[in-house]
C-alpha cells in the first residue's frame, strides 16, 4: 500500500481511504468483514460524516457498535469525520461544530477524531466562529487535525484569517471522467474550450503549494452520482479498453487501475472508497501499488474525453 505523510504532521497514512457512508443497514458481521478487509489490505484511514445514514450520526453509530478497538488498535487507525451540513442549509457556527463533534465521538465510541473536515462551504461562514470551535476542540484533545471539504482557495484563505491550526486536507470529487481539478490546468488559456473554464480557482496548485492533502471522493463515478464509468462501454468504450489493457499488464483489476490513475499524481491524493464490498476494497488497495507511466496516465485522460491542446 502506497502511503503519504499527512501535511504538517509526522503521521503516515494509507493512500486509500475506506468511506463508510453506506453501512447503516449492514450487520455487525458485515461491517467487521469490511473493516477487516481494509486493515488487511493496508488501509488505516476511515471516513465518516455526521449526516451519513439518513439520521444524524447513524453510520458513525453503526461503526461504533460493530467495531470495538483496543487502545493500541485505535492508535493504529485514523478516523475522520465531517460537520457542517444540516437539513436544508449549511452551518459552520461554533455551536453546531462543537455539538456535531460531541455527537460523532459518542456514536463512534472514541475519545477523539484524528481529522475533522468542514463539510461543503457555508457562504454565511464567520471565520472567528470556526476558529473558536477549532480552538476548543484542539485544546480539549477531541480533534487532532482540521481540514475542509469541497472548498476553493479563496474560501480556505478566508478561514485562515482567523483559524490558527493548519488546514491539512480538502476532500473533493475526482475520477478519471470527472477531473476538472486536472483538466482545466492542462487546457489553460484556450478560448472557446469548456475545459479551460476554471471551476475551482487553481485548487490543485494551491493545495500543493500550501501543503494540503487532497482526498478524492467518488473515484469511480462518471459525474455527479450518475453511475460508474468502469464497464460502461456505451459512453466510454475507448477508456474501458485502455483500462482493461493496463489491468492485464499490471495484474490488477480495472478498479485498481482507476485508483492507480489518481495515486499516480505527485500531489499525493488519497482515494476515498464508497464500497461495502470487501473484494472491491482489496482490488482498490492493490491498485495503489501500481505506478502508471506518464504516457499511460495521459492515455486514460484523453480516452476519458479530456482534451490535450
Amino acid at each position: 500500500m502506497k502511503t503519504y505523510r499527512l501535511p504538517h504532521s509526522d503521521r503516515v497514512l494509507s493512500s486509500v481511504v475506506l468511506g463508510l457512508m453506506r453501512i447503516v443497514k449492514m450487520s455487525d458481521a458485515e461491517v467487521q468483514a469490511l473493516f477487516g478487509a481494509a486493515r488487511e489490505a493496508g488501509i488505516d484511514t476511515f471516513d465518516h460524516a455526521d449526516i451519513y445514514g439518513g439520521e444524524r450520526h447513524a453510520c458513525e453509530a453503526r461503526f461504533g457498535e460493530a467495531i470495538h478497538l483496543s487502545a493500541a488498535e485505535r492508535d493504529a487507525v485514523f478516523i475522520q469525520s465531517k460537520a457542517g451540513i444540516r437539513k436544508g442549509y449549511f452551518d459552520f457556527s461554533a455551536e453546531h461544530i462543537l455539538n456535531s463533534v460531541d455527537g460523532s465521538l459518542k456514536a463512534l465510541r472514541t475519545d477523539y477524531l484524528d481529522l475533522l473536515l468542514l463539510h461543503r462551504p457555508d457562504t454565511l461562514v464567520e471565520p472567528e466562529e470556526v476558529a473558536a470551535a477549532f480552538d476548543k476542540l484542539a485544546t480539549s484533545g477531541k480533534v487532532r487535525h482540521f481540514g475542509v471539504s469541497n472548498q476553493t482557495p479563496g474560501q480556505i484563505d478566508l478561514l485562515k484569517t482567523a483559524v490558527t491550526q493548519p488546514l491539512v486536507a480538502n476532500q473533493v470529487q475526482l475520477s478519471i471522467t470527472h477531473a476538472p481539478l486536472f483538466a482545466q490546468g492542462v487546457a489553460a488559456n484556450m478560448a472557446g474550450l469548456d475545459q479551460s473554464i476554471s471551476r475551482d480557482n487553481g485548487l490543485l496548485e494551491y493545495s500543493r503549494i500550501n501543503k494540503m492533502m487532497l482526498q478524492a471522493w467518488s473515484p469511480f463515478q462518471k459525474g455527479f452520482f450518475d453511475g460508474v464509468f468502469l464497464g460502461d462501454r456505451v459512453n466510454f468504450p475507448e477508456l474501458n479498453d485502455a483500462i482493461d489493457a493496463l489491468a492485464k499488464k499490471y495484474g490488477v483489476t480495472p478498479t485498481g487501475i482507476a485508483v492507480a490513475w489518481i495515486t499516480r499524481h505527485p500531489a499525493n491524493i488519497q482515494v476515498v472508497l464508497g464500497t461495502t464490498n470487501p473484494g472491491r476494497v482489496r482490488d482498490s488497495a492493490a491498485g495503489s501499488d501500481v505506478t502508471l507511466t506518464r504516457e499511460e496516465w495521459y492515455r486514460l485522460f484523453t480516452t476519458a474525453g479530456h482534451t490535450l491542446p
Side-chain angles (χ1 to χ4, degrees), residues 1-6 11-19 38 41-46 78 80 174 213-217 219-220 256 258-265 267-273 281 283-291:
M1 166 69 65
K2 181 183 292 185
T3 59
Y4 305 137
R5 186 179 65 82
L6 182 70
R11 189 69 186 259
V12 176
L13 302 175
S14 57
S15 57
V16 177
V17 176
L18 180 60
I43 295 172
D44 60 12
T45 307
F46 298 88
F78 190 91
Q80 63 183 49
L174 175 65
M213 178 177 284
L214 292 166
Q215 298 180 335
W217 59 269
F220 312 119
V259 169
W261 188 79
I262 296 173
T263 58
R264 168 63 177 83
H265 200 282
N268 291 349
I269 301 169
Q270 287 183 302
V271 178
V272 183
L273 308 178
V281 171
D283 291 344
S284 299
S288 77
D289 286 327
V290 172
T291 302

Side-chain angles (χ1 to χ4, degrees), residues 18 27 141 190 192 216 229 238 267 277 280 283 288-289:
L18 180 60
S27 68
M190 299 294 294
F229 58 81
E238 286 186 79
N277 184 322
R280 179 65 70 86
D283 291 344
S288 77
D289 286 327

Side-chain angles (χ1 to χ4, degrees), residues 47-50 52 80-84 100 104 116-117 119 149 171:
D47 178 73
H48 292 274
D50 59 357
Y52 291 165
Q80 63 183 49
S81 195
K82 311 179 203 70
S100 180
S104 293
L116 173 68
L117 301 177
H119 207 175
S149 174
Q171 193 171 116

Side-chain angles (χ1 to χ4, degrees), residues 79-110:
I79 297 177
Q80 63 183 49
S81 195
K82 311 179 203 70
I85 297 180
R86 305 186 71 170
K87 189 175 181 179
Y89 63 104
F90 298 157
D91 186 353
F92 286 179
S93 66
E95 180 182 17
H96 177 67
I97 293 170
L98 293 171
N99 287 340
S100 180
V101 169
D102 284 342
S104 293
L105 296 178
K106 181 179 179 180
L108 291 164
R109 304 187 185 189
T110 185

Side-chain angles (χ1 to χ4, degrees), residues 18-307:
L18 180 60
L20 295 155
M21 68 179 294
R22 296 185 173 92
I23 64 170
V24 70
K25 295 183 179 180
M26 295 172 65
S27 68
D28 282 1
E30 290 170 331
V31 175
Q32 290 161 4
L34 182 66
F35 179 80
R39 294 298 290 128
E40 290 171 9
I43 295 172
D44 60 12
T45 307
F46 298 88
D47 178 73
H48 292 274
D50 59 357
I51 63 165
Y52 291 165
E55 296 182 8
R56 191 160 295 278
H57 305 295
C59 282
E60 292 171 321
R62 186 81 284 276
F63 182 85
E65 292 160 358
I67 305 299
H68 304 286
L69 300 172
S70 68
E73 290 169 334
R74 176 64 186 90
D75 287 343
V77 297
F78 190 91
I79 297 177
Q80 63 183 49
S81 195
K82 311 179 203 70
I85 297 180
R86 305 186 71 170
K87 189 175 181 179
Y89 63 104
F90 298 157
D91 186 353
F92 286 179
S93 66
E95 180 182 17
H96 177 67
I97 293 170
L98 293 171
N99 287 340
S100 180
V101 169
D102 284 342
S104 293
L105 296 178
K106 181 179 179 180
L108 291 164
R109 304 187 185 189
T110 185
D111 295 329
Y112 65 94
L113 293 176
D114 292 286
L115 174 62
L116 173 68
L117 301 177
L118 295 178
H119 207 175
R120 294 282 177 182
D122 175 13
T123 192
L124 301 181
V125 64
E126 297 172 82
E128 295 77 14
E129 286 269 311
V130 175
F134 282 10
D135 286 344
K136 288 183 179 180
L137 293 169
T139 300
S140 66
K142 292 180 179 180
V143 177
R144 296 187 172 179
H145 304 282
F146 299 88
V148 298
S149 174
N150 305 291
Q151 297 201 25
T152 66
Q155 290 164 338
I156 295 166
D157 281 342
L158 177 61
L159 290 173
K160 287 181 178 181
T161 62
V163 170
T164 59
Q165 294 81 11
L167 298 176
V168 301
N170 190 1
Q171 193 171 116
V172 298
Q173 185 178 5
L174 175 65
S175 72
I176 299 174
T177 55
H178 184 281
L181 188 74
F182 300 154
Q184 186 277 326
V186 168
N189 197 37
M190 299 294 294
L193 182 64
D194 181 76
Q195 182 179 315
S196 298
I197 299 171
S198 177
R199 291 175 168 81
D200 58 27
N201 300 314
L203 181 60
L204 176 64
E205 294 76 19
Y206 177 91
S207 301
R208 296 180 73 178
I209 292 168
N210 289 277
K211 295 180 171 56
M212 291 187 72
M213 178 177 284
L214 292 166
Q215 298 180 335
W217 59 269
S218 286
F220 312 119
Q221 286 283 322
K222 288 182 282 190
F224 189 70
F225 295 109
D226 55 357
V228 300
F229 58 81
L230 292 170
D232 181 357
R233 296 188 177 277
V234 174
N235 296 296
F236 299 102
E238 286 186 79
L239 173 61
N240 277 280
D241 286 346
I243 288 173
D244 287 350
L246 290 172
K248 182 177 181 180
K249 173 182 174 180
Y250 288 105
V252 297
T253 64
T255 295
I257 294 300
V259 169
W261 188 79
I262 296 173
T263 58
R264 168 63 177 83
H265 200 282
N268 291 349
I269 301 169
Q270 287 183 302
V271 178
V272 183
L273 308 178
T275 185
T276 58
N277 184 322
R280 179 65 70 86
V281 171
R282 288 187 284 267
D283 291 344
S284 299
S288 77
D289 286 327
V290 172
T291 302
L292 301 173
T293 67
R294 269 185 163 81
E295 183 178 7
E296 291 166 346
W297 192 93
Y298 276 107
R299 172 63 175 160
L300 295 180
F301 181 80
T302 55
T303 56
H306 305 299
T307 298

